[in-house]
DNA sequence: ACGGGAGTTGTTGTA
DNA sequence: GTACAACAACTCCCG
């Protein structure tokens, strides 16, 4: 009898319930990763995800090796790979975390479950963080989150020696350097230390502007999405740091109390959002609130608008800089993500599904359980959140007053002064802005980049039209009736602000 | 952690 | 010193 620990998006050895329990049996143990070619062809998955995964797997393999074990990699769809393993390992128990992934992994898990039942193989699935499978009610969810995070982490168990099983080598990733995103566990732990000891002090202040967010944010989203760190490990490390800070004299605490509070709140929302997709997987494909069905996405110019948005060529500098930055680095801060979605869904009045898949492919830290609830929230299709339409010009003035971020990613307008860089269409000579052609006739050394486009919509007009349509829809009693049911199922149970407001579940950003 | 307008309060400059 | 306009800063509310 053998224990197989199937690693998915939980690429670590510590705080790993499946590995811990499998190791307690003292039976032979196989640490398995299955490379599933079909998954990597899905519309929301891209080579940059693979580059990150590959780095985190390499780290995992190294850790297993140091503990006298080995990572076994196999290629194929999960059921065939497992079926083949039954020939070498006649009896085994399969251990893995419950995965709240995309529709593809959900379907795959159901096939694996069916296969395991048919073959009489036991598949033990362990809860992932505070995300509860078959959650009956949101009412007790917060308390459960706390209980999970209060539990000590599972230590890395002692592992038995590996079985002589061959690995199939995985393809090398291409075209994306994941190093700066610290995908693997060692890099992630190093980043966590720096964040909690130094970089994170400006967290609350720094995460709004794309100029400062990369340094003052935790930069842990990629390793968290791959499970190279568990949320509980990060929560507990943050609590330990909060204890240290509290022990300092009040005038030596600096920005830390605020920073750590804000960070902890986000760690809490991490599971909170994933729970929404776990409870209602259809929101990857369908509007949470049906009143928005068919509302957008059937106008003649949509394809061109989408293409301009997706390439960072809308003519709105802050939108385009954010998109191009994301394309280049695989990461952008939360506010810019919200702005990008809001612009596609409100100003351009596009259905959120294609934009969501585009962003999923670009976000190296793509976490389906966070992505789809967030996209729907910023698109207004949850029906329970206040409509939030970002003005990209205002965001530019607020978050990048001097235009430094814009200049980094939009060379076409880098020459404009700060007073014009957020509204290049107001510049005296909006189109060319390129050095006049050289006097000699030979072909130019550098292909001259295309001119920066004019804005593809009128900002104020588009925003007002979108707001009017959304608010109009929300007026109906039918809309409200359904929204109340949605709040009951998904809404945060945090108390509303004091001052004797109605004690109902909040329908705001955090719901 | 939406934006913008209206209304309110606070500050400054001027006669 | 007082009166008051002009304007900034802030809160509240609604789409």
């Amino acid at each position: 009898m053998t224990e197989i620990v199937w690693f998915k998006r939980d690429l670590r050895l510590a705080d790993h319930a499946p590995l811990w329990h499998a190791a307690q049996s003292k039976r032979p143990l196989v640490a398995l990763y299955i490379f599933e070619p079909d998954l990597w062809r899905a519309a929301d998955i891209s080579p940059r995800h693979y580059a990150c995964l590959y780095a985190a797997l390499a780290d995992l393999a190294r850790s297993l090796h140091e503990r006298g074990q080995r990572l076994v990699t196999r290629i194929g769809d999960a059921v065939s790979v497992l079926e083949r393993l039954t020939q070498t390992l006649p009896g085994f128990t399969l251990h893995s975390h419950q995965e709240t992934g995309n529709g593809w992994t959900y379907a795959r898990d159901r096939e694996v479950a069916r296969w395991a039942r048919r073959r009489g193989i036991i598949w033990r699935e362990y809860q992932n963080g505070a995300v509860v499978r078959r959650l009956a009610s949101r009412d007790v969810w917060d308390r459960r989150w706390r209980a999970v995070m209060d539990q000590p982490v599972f230590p890395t168990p002692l592992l038995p020696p590996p079985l002589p099983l061959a690995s199939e080598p995985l393809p090398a990733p291409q075209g994306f350097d994941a190093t700066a995103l610290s995908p693997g566990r060692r890099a992630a732990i190093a980043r966590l230390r720096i964040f909690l000891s130094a970089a994170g002090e400006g967290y609350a202040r720094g995460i709004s502007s794309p100029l400062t967010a990369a340094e003052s944010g935790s930069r842990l989203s990629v390793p968290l999405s791959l499970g190279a760190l568990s949320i509980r490990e990060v929560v507990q490390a943050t609590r330990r740091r909060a204890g240290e800070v509290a022990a300092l004299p009040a005038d030596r605490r600096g920005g830390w109390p605020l920073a750590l509070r804000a960070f902890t709140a986000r760690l809490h929302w991490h599971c909170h959002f994933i729970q929404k997709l776990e409870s209602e997987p259809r929101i990857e494909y369908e509007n949470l609130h049906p009143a928005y069905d068919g509302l957008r996405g059937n106008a003649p110019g949509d394809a061109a608008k989408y293409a301009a948005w997706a390439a960072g060529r809308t003519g709105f500098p802050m939108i385009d800089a954010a998109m191009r930055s994301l394309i280049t680095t695989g990461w952008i801060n939360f506010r810019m993500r919200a702005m990008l979605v809001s612009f596609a869904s409100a100003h351009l009045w596009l259905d959120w599904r294609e934009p969501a898949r585009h962003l999923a492919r670009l976000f190296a830290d793509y976490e389906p359980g966070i992505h789809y609830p967030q996209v729907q929230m910023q698109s207004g299709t949850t029906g329970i959140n206040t409509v939030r339409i970002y003005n990209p010009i205002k965001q530019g003035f607020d978050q990048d007053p001097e235009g430094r971020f814009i200049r980094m990613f939009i060379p076409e307008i880098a020459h404009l002064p700060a007073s014009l860089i957020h509204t290049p269409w107001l510049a005296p000579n909006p189109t060319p802005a390129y050095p006049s052609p050289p006097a000699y006739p030979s072909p130019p050394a550098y292909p001259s980049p295309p001119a920066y486009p004019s804005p593809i919509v009128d900002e104020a007009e588009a925003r007002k039209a979108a707001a009017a349509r959304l608010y109009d829809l929300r007026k109906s009693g039918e809309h409200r009736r359904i929204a109340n049911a949605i709040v009951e199922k998904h809404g945060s149970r945090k108390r509303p602000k004091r001052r004797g407001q109605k004690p109902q579940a909040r329908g705001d950003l955090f719901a």
Side-chain angles (χ1 to χ4, degrees):
Chain A
M1 195 64 178
T2 306
E3 314 289 343
I4 293 184
V5 179
W6 178 16
F7 287 90
K8 298 157 118 189
R9 290 194 303 134
D10 49 2
L11 306 182
R12 62 179 184 272
L13 303 181
D15 203 19
H16 196 291
L19 181 69
W20 171 262
H21 288 290
Q24 296 322 296
S25 73
K26 306 293 177 200
R27 284 192 281 265
L29 185 150
V30 173
L32 173 70
Y33 180 80
I34 307 175
F35 176 85
E36 301 159 282
D38 281 353
L39 170 63
W40 299 93
R41 288 194 273 266
D44 54 339
I45 305 292
S46 71
R48 62 183 61 189
H49 301 135
Y50 185 64
C52 294
L53 176 105
Y54 192 85
L57 267 185
D59 189 292
L60 180 73
R62 185 176 151 198
S63 297
L64 282 164
H65 185 75
E66 284 170 0
R67 287 167 176 75
Q69 249 285 350
R70 215 170 58 205
L71 181 67
V72 174
T73 56
R74 291 289 169 95
I75 297 176
D77 65 275
V79 167
S80 329
V81 167
L82 293 168
E83 176 64 34
R84 261 184 281 145
L85 278 169
T86 59
Q87 283 150 32
T88 14
L89 308 167
F92 64 73
T93 300
L94 187 61
H95 302 263
S96 74
H97 273 113
Q98 293 169 348
E99 180 175 6
T100 308
N102 62 6
W104 190 92
T105 64
Y106 182 35
R108 172 255 273 145
D109 281 345
R110 279 179 303 179
E111 277 171 36
V112 169
R114 203 173 321 125
W115 168 83
R117 255 196 321 276
R118 215 176 44 236
R119 300 290 264 107
I121 283 170
I122 296 169
W123 181 18
R124 295 228 157 85
E125 285 192 283
Y126 302 80
Q127 182 169 308
N128 189 15
V131 181
V132 180
R133 191 146 284 186
R134 294 177 202 90
L135 178 67
S137 158
R138 265 271 176 182
D139 289 342
V140 293
W141 193 85
D142 273 352
R143 208 176 329 135
R144 278 168 90 161
W145 185 87
R146 179 166 291 279
V148 169
M149 297 305 149
D150 287 350
Q151 284 296 109
V153 300
F154 290 98
T156 303
L158 284 176
L159 300 173
L163 295 174
L165 280 181
S167 277
E168 293 167 337
L170 304 189
Q174 285 175 341
F176 186 80
D177 182 4
T179 319
L181 301 166
S182 28
R185 182 166 176 87
R186 280 171 184 77
I189 286 173
R191 175 61 201 168
L192 177 62
R193 292 229 171 87
I194 293 170
F195 175 70
L196 289 179
S197 63
E201 186 172 5
Y203 182 79
R205 197 169 354 101
I207 53 172
S208 284
S209 166
L211 287 165
T212 50
E215 52 193 78
S216 41
S218 75
R219 303 309 309 271
L220 293 174
S221 57
V222 170
L224 283 172
S225 75
L226 294 165
L229 286 173
S230 76
I231 279 284
R232 177 158 57 193
E233 290 178 301
V234 180
V235 167
Q236 294 187 359
T238 307
R239 286 177 178 172
R240 283 193 293 274
R241 177 68 177 130
E244 276 173 36
V245 168
L248 293 170
D251 61 337
R252 300 269 315 280
R253 292 178 197 153
W256 284 108
L258 182 65
L260 296 175
R261 241 195 336 271
F263 184 57
T264 305
R266 276 153 185 273
L267 293 171
H268 179 264
W269 299 337
H270 181 272
C271 295
H272 172 88
F273 279 106
I274 297 175
Q275 183 68 54
K276 292 175 197 266
L277 185 66
E278 170 61 38
S279 296
E280 204 150 354
R282 69 176 185 91
I283 63 178
E284 178 179 350
Y285 307 106
E286 295 168 26
N287 292 319
L288 181 58
H289 193 306
Y292 301 87
D293 290 350
L295 192 63
R296 309 184 240 218
N298 36 30
D302 281 358
K305 285 179 179 162
Y306 169 74
W309 173 85
R313 295 191 53 78
T314 65
F316 290 92
M318 205 58 178
I319 298 287
D320 296 339
M323 182 64 84
R324 294 181 193 188
S325 159
L326 174 60
I327 290 169
T328 307
T329 66
W331 187 86
I332 185 82
N333 63 321
F334 177 83
R335 177 179 284 269
M336 294 298 106
R337 294 181 191 210
M339 181 187 74
L340 286 172
V341 172
S342 144
F343 190 79
S345 296
H347 295 80
L348 303 184
W349 205 246
L350 298 171
D351 186 274
W352 54 267
R353 279 159 271 224
E354 260 319 302
R357 279 190 286 269
H358 181 67
L359 292 175
R361 290 188 294 268
L362 293 178
F363 293 159
D365 57 19
Y366 172 47
E367 173 70 64
I370 298 178
H371 190 60
Y372 296 101
Q374 281 290 343
V375 165
Q376 290 221 33
M377 198 158 83
Q378 302 300 345
S379 302
T381 52
T382 65
I384 62 172
N385 306 100
T386 46
V387 177
R388 282 169 207 280
I389 305 177
Y390 289 71
N391 178 339
I393 303 162
K394 179 181 184 290
Q395 289 300 316
F397 281 113
D398 290 352
Q399 308 303 334
D400 185 28
E402 295 152 40
R404 279 163 49 215
F405 178 68
I406 289 172
R407 281 191 200 92
M408 265 185 265
F409 291 99
I410 315 188
E412 301 100 294
I413 55 172
H415 62 284
L416 288 178
S419 57
L420 285 168
I421 200 156
H422 301 293
T423 53
W425 55 92
L426 298 180
N429 182 10
T431 359
Y434 285 97
S436 39
Y440 48 87
S442 56
Y446 307 98
S448 81
Y452 189 61
S454 314
I456 58 172
V457 290
D458 179 299
E459 196 283 320
E461 196 182 295
R463 176 161 40 76
K464 283 172 192 158
R469 294 170 84 167
L470 292 176
Y471 283 111
D472 198 50
L473 211 57
R474 293 161 78 96
K475 278 193 205 123
S476 85
E478 172 73 354
H479 184 286
R480 240 167 280 169
R481 195 183 56 73
I482 298 172
N484 288 340
I486 294 171
V487 169
E488 176 61 26
K489 175 153 185 181
H490 293 285
S492 146
R493 297 300 191 263
K494 283 217 184 76
R495 294 171 306 285
K497 278 189 232 133
R498 282 160 315 210
R499 286 216 244 238
Q501 234 110 66
K502 282 168 277 175
Q504 60 186 20
R506 293 197 305 181
D508 68 6
L509 178 67
F510 311 107

